[in-house]
Amino acid sequence: MLTGFGPMDIFFNLLISMGVLWFSISIHEAAHAWTALQLGDPTAKYEGRVSLNPLDHIDPIGTVLLPLIMYITHLPMFGWAKPTPFNPWNLKNPKRDAALISFAGPVSNLLIAIVFSIIFRLLHPGGNILGLVLFNIVYLNVVLAIFNLIPIHPLDGFKVVGGFLPKNTYLRWLEFERFGPYFLILVFFFGGSLIQSIVNPVMQLLLG
């Protein structure tokens, strides 16, 4: 997160942080929608979700209110967008294709992190505004990629893991779906240090 000292610095930093979050989440959701379309399901396309326009993906709580609260309380900024819909009946292999659609989101964030880390290393921007913006883009997208791969519903990792399971095990796996929100609360409160221990080595690799 960018930090400043005066009111204008804080406001400017907030705008940049929110802009980076909306940019990253928009690509994440558009990747879900585009992948679903390639696999034969146009549901997200009909709802206008194959789009990089943040307004098509914004969730009032997850994309606006929660990030603002986290910024004000000096927590690492995080959030989510409206879920990208898909109809499994339009997919040739629903279990496998659902996993691919889910996996596309974190992959898009990882690709963003790689591209902007290359730009960072080529430009050597240091501690100026450009350097801070590039660092935030890389950092947030690494966090989004890793966090969304946690195998807890409604995160993408739940369906990604399900795609690798045999049918009988997969049906049992789906039974954990209803407990996902409770597990997710535990991750928010107690899993931060674990996620950070994964994020930091990736950041050092990309920006070292």
Side-chain angles (χ1 to χ4, degrees), residues 147 152-154 179-192:
F147 185 81
I152 297 175
H153 178 77
F179 300 112
Y182 304 106
F183 290 142
L184 202 54
I185 291 173
L186 294 177
V187 170
F188 268 118
F189 281 101
F190 303 108

Side-chain angles (χ1 to χ4, degrees), residues 20-109:
V20 169
L21 178 66
W22 290 2
F23 162 75
S24 304
I25 286 180
S26 297
I27 293 181
H28 180 106
E29 297 302 326
H32 286 318
W34 181 85
T35 303
L37 183 62
Q38 303 311 304
L39 293 172
D41 177 32
T43 304
K45 177 186 176 182
Y46 292 152
E47 295 194 11
R49 302 299 298 279
V50 187
S51 166
L52 297 180
N53 183 353
L55 296 178
D56 295 328
H57 305 288
I58 283 178
D59 175 87
I61 295 177
T63 326
V64 180
L65 182 59
L66 177 65
L68 281 173
I69 293 174
M70 299 184 82
Y71 184 90
I72 293 171
T73 55
H74 304 291
L75 293 172
M77 186 172 283
F78 189 77
W80 60 81
K82 292 187 297 185
T84 299
F86 70 89
N87 185 348
W89 295 105
N90 291 330
L91 304 173
K92 293 181 180 179
N93 187 329
K95 183 166 72 72
R96 180 204 64 190
D97 292 349
L100 292 174
I101 293 169
S102 297
F103 193 48
V107 167
S108 71
N109 292 125

Side-chain angles (χ1 to χ4, degrees), residues 95 162-176:
K95 183 166 72 72
F164 288 95
L165 299 176
K167 184 176 180 180
N168 290 338
T169 308
Y170 176 68
L171 294 176
R172 294 178 182 175
W173 178 249
L174 292 180
E175 294 176 4
F176 289 100

Side-chain angles (χ1 to χ4, degrees), residues 123-190:
L123 297 181
H124 298 288
N128 57 28
I129 292 297
L130 177 61
L132 292 172
V133 171
L134 291 174
F135 178 86
N136 272 258
I137 292 175
V138 176
Y139 180 83
L140 179 60
N141 279 278
V142 170
V143 171
L144 286 173
I146 292 174
F147 185 81
N148 275 286
L149 284 174
I150 296 175
I152 297 175
H153 178 77
L155 301 178
D156 297 321
F158 185 81
K159 286 188 173 67
V160 172
V161 169
F164 288 95
L165 299 176
K167 184 176 180 180
N168 290 338
T169 308
Y170 176 68
L171 294 176
R172 294 178 182 175
W173 178 249
L174 292 180
E175 294 176 4
F176 289 100
E177 186 172 288
R178 64 181 184 273
F179 300 112
Y182 304 106
F183 290 142
L184 202 54
I185 291 173
L186 294 177
V187 170
F188 268 118
F189 281 101
F190 303 108

Side-chain angles (χ1 to χ4, degrees), residues 2-16 71 129:
L2 304 177
T3 57
F5 298 98
M8 290 305 297
D9 292 320
I10 294 174
F11 179 72
F12 180 69
N13 293 342
L14 175 60
L15 287 180
I16 291 178
Y71 184 90
I129 292 297

